[in-house]
Amino acid sequence: MTKPDASVTQPHSDKEKRPFFLHTRPAAYAALIFALAIGVCYALAMCRDFDFTIGHFALDSIPFHIAAVLCGIGIFAALIAYFSSGTKILDPLPEPGTLSVFAGLLSAAMCLVILYQAIRDRAAAIPEKLVSPENLFLFSALAGLFLAASVILGLFPENRGMKTIPSVCAVLGALSVNLAMFACYFNFTVPLNSPVRNLTTLMQAAILLFLFSEARLTLVKGPKELPVPFQIATQYAAVVLGLGISLGGILWRLLRTVSAAFEPYSPLTAGPDPTLPLSRLVLYFALSLLALDRLLAGSKVIRSLTKEEIEEAERKAKEEKERKKRKKKGEAEPETKSEE
């Protein structure tokens, strides 16, 4: 009697089962370390090497250069995670952990604080036109109510999978960050080519993409419909860039406040603060913690698609492509016959 073929009884070797490094928990912790390093270096650069008059860091600012390099590494890691996740699947979808609960509650609280501040600032300002930073921040804060609802609803797994209210809240919540980006763009108190403006844009873009990935959780029926490359890549971007830059802004604002309390004429208070308000920085920090929890949870449930699953997905994609092609040509009859 012949022995069974090993390739049949064991279709996946240990090497094939072994996840890529960026899909493991150590890689997620490495992203957290990079974020902490960015935050510390960014805050140090703001304290020691920032010129408020021209809105730039000193050319020989070592902390700023370190933060910039680490941001570049974060972007590169997100790209590698994206291109290495094409045959991966999260099965089951990661469950919210304790960190998600903390991040969700903190995010919701900050959304309410930001709304109060936006209403107060809008009442004090007299904008000459509709598209003004004050109005855009107010619209962003109003949409932030949906963001608060979205992060709270996201704490309950039963709100996933083609649910109308969670989906609407998730999309409008992402719109809140998008409007805030436009408000920052029209805020000309910060020089257009300032590195602080660039870092702020990078942070908000990372958070916005992560919120889009969160919205996908409310639009899929099961794990096989979730685009893992986009999920993993946006989570890495949100952890490294979102957490790092927001933490740096928070540390800088705290140091500036303490310095002003003990030394009224401190060089740290020599000009207007080019960073975002503390409440919005804390909001992005909390959303980054949510991304970190998603990344840690996903590293425990990610797996490779089987050969059969890949073939089935390719077959369905081919059928869908042919169906659209026939529909475009007006050949409805073959499609009807195939359905019968």
Side-chain angles (χ1 to χ4, degrees):
M1 184 175 180
T2 59
K3 294 182 179 180
D5 188 355
S7 63
V8 177
T9 56
Q10 297 179 353
H12 300 284
S13 65
D14 292 337
K15 184 177 180 181
E16 289 174 331
K17 290 181 178 179
R18 194 179 303 127
F20 186 66
F21 173 71
L22 289 177
H23 301 138
T24 62
R25 290 178 71 87
Y29 288 124
L32 175 60
I33 293 173
F34 281 172
L36 296 177
I38 290 173
V40 172
C41 290
Y42 183 25
L44 284 176
M46 289 294 297
C47 290
R48 299 173 49 187
D49 306 319
F50 190 74
D51 189 332
F52 290 94
T53 304
I54 62 176
H56 281 264
F57 294 97
L59 294 178
D60 59 349
S61 175
I62 295 177
F64 172 71
H65 290 313
I66 294 175
V69 170
L70 292 177
C71 286
I73 293 175
I75 295 174
F76 181 73
L79 291 174
I80 295 298
Y82 181 88
F83 289 109
S84 64
S85 307
T87 58
K88 300 294 188 297
I89 184 174
L90 294 172
D91 188 17
L93 297 179
E95 298 289 339
T98 305
L99 187 58
S100 287
V101 175
F102 170 77
L105 294 176
L106 181 59
S107 299
M110 286 301 102
C111 286
L112 297 178
V113 173
I114 289 171
L115 177 59
Y116 165 76
Q117 292 175 337
I119 294 175
R120 181 197 60 192
D121 295 343
R122 176 61 182 83
I126 307 177
E128 298 179 357
K129 45 190 175 181
L130 180 63
V131 182
S132 64
E134 294 82 8
N135 283 338
L136 289 173
F137 273 124
L138 178 60
F139 298 150
S140 171
L142 291 172
L145 294 176
F146 292 97
L147 176 58
S150 177
V151 293
I152 296 299
L153 292 174
L155 299 178
F156 304 95
E158 58 268 20
N159 290 320
R160 296 176 177 175
M162 307 303 292
K163 299 295 180 65
T164 302
I165 294 180
S167 299
V168 172
C169 289
V171 172
L172 293 179
L175 176 64
S176 170
V177 176
N178 200 10
L179 289 172
M181 293 180 69
F182 279 111
C184 292
Y185 177 79
F186 288 105
N187 180 17
F188 300 116
T189 59
V190 180
L192 289 176
N193 60 346
S194 172
V196 174
R197 178 188 284 270
N198 296 335
L199 288 174
T200 299
T201 302
L202 200 60
M203 170 186 63
Q204 291 178 311
I207 296 298
L208 178 61
L209 291 174
F210 170 67
L211 291 178
F212 283 147
S213 73
E214 286 292 285
R216 287 176 179 265
L217 292 174
T218 67
L219 299 172
V220 296
K221 294 181 180 179
K224 293 183 180 180
E225 296 182 7
L226 184 67
V228 172
F230 186 75
Q231 300 294 121
I232 301 297
T234 55
Q235 289 165 8
Y236 265 106
V239 171
V240 178
L241 303 176
L243 184 61
I245 298 173
S246 64
L247 176 62
I250 292 171
L251 292 176
W252 151 247
R253 277 192 163 268
L254 293 178
L255 290 171
R256 179 183 168 100
T257 301
V258 171
S259 178
F262 289 94
E263 187 179 353
Y265 299 102
S266 169
L268 300 187
T269 59
D273 195 333
T275 62
L276 292 177
L278 183 62
S279 56
R280 189 162 286 277
L281 288 169
V282 174
L283 170 63
Y284 294 154
F285 177 80
L287 293 173
S288 302
L289 291 180
L290 180 60
L292 175 62
D293 191 58
R294 291 278 193 264
L295 196 60
L296 291 171
S299 64
K300 296 187 295 185
V301 297
I302 194 169
R303 68 172 178 85
S304 297
L305 288 168
T306 64
K307 182 179 179 181
E308 292 76 13
E309 289 172 330
I310 294 175
E311 291 176 348
E312 178 67 13
E314 291 176 347
R315 183 187 64 81
K316 289 183 177 180
K318 185 178 180 180
E319 290 180 353
E320 180 67 15
K321 184 177 180 180
E322 292 178 351
R323 186 187 67 81
K324 290 182 178 180
K325 190 175 181 180
R326 289 196 300 265
K327 185 177 180 181
K328 186 177 181 180
K329 291 182 178 180
E331 299 176 2
E333 186 175 353
E335 183 179 354
T336 305
K337 290 182 178 180
S338 62
E339 290 178 354
E340 291 176 357

